[in-house]
Amino acid sequence: MNGNVQEAHQAMDRLHEMLEEQTRRLSDTVHSEAGQLLSAVLLRLDQLALELPSDCGDCFHEIRLMIEQIEEQLRDLSNELLPRMLDDLGLIPALECLVERTSRRTGADIRLNSSIADRLPAALEATLYRIVQEALTNIAKHARATQVEIHLWQDDRVHCAVRDDGIGFDSDRILQKKGERGLGLAGIRERVESQGGALAIRSLPGHGTEVLVSVPRRV
Ligand SMILES: Nc1ncnc2c1ncn2[C@@H]1O[C@H](COP(=O)(O)OP(=O)(O)OP(=O)(O)O)[C@@H](O)[C@H]1O
Ligand SMILES: [Mg+2]
C-alpha cells in the first residue's frame, strides 16, 4: 500500500516537472521566438511599403495594425504563463533554470548570486524574472560575452544587477531613442518605473554592459 502511495507521488512529481518544462518552453517560444519573428515581419513590411503604390496605403496600414495586435496578444499570453511557473518554483529556482538553459545555448559562463532567501511579492518576482530574462536574451543576441554575473540583494528595495564582459554599446544613445520598436530595454524600464523602481544601464562599446535595477519591496 505504502509502495503504491510512493509510486503515485513520484508519478505526480514527474507530471509536474513535465508541465513546468512545457510551460517554460511555451512561454519562451511565445516571447522570444514568435515575438522576434513578428518584429522581423514588421520590419520587412516597412521596407516593402516604400515600394508600394500610394493607393495601397490603407490596406498596408490595416495589415500592420493586425500584426501589432497579434504581437500584443502573444506578449499577454507569455505574461500569463510566466507567473504560474514562478508561483510554483519561486524566483531563484526559476532563475537557476533560466541561467542553465542560457549557458547551454550560448556557451557563456553565467553565475547567479542571490542573498534573497524568502519569497517576494508575486508581481515583483515576475518583474525581476522578466528583467533577467531580457538581459540574458540581449546578452545572447548582442553581447558576445564569455562571463556573465547576476546579483540579487535587498535592503528596503530589491536590487538586481546583470553584468557581462561583451562588446558593450552606446547605451545613452540607444535609450534616448523614443518611440522605437523593441520591447526589450524600453519595456523593462516601463515595467520597473510602473512599480516605483529605477533602471540604469552602464555600457560602453568594448567594455561590457551592466543592467541595474532597484524596485521597492512593497508592490
Ligand atoms: N548586453 C548587451 N551587449 C551589447 N549590446 C546590447 C546589450 N543589450 C542591449 N544591447 C544593444 O541595445 C539595443 C537595444 O536593446 P533592446 O533589448 O531594447 O532591443 P533588441 O534586443 O534589439 O530587441 P528586442 O529586445 O525588442 O527583441 C540592442 O539592439 C543592442 O544593440
Ligand atoms: Mg532585447
Side-chain angles (χ1 to χ4, degrees), residues 36 134 137-138 141-142 183-185:
Q36 270 164 35
E134 178 54 32
T137 304
N138 276 349
K141 264 167 57 179
H142 312 293
L183 315 166
L185 295 174

Side-chain angles (χ1 to χ4, degrees), residues 36 39 134-135 137-139 141-144 164 166-169 174 181-186 203 208-209 211:
Q36 270 164 35
S39 300
E134 178 54 32
T137 304
N138 276 349
I139 289 169
K141 264 167 57 179
H142 312 293
R144 282 181 252 151
D164 72 65
I167 59 171
F169 68 108
I174 296 238
R181 297 200 61 76
L183 315 166
L185 295 174
S203 185
T209 299
V211 175

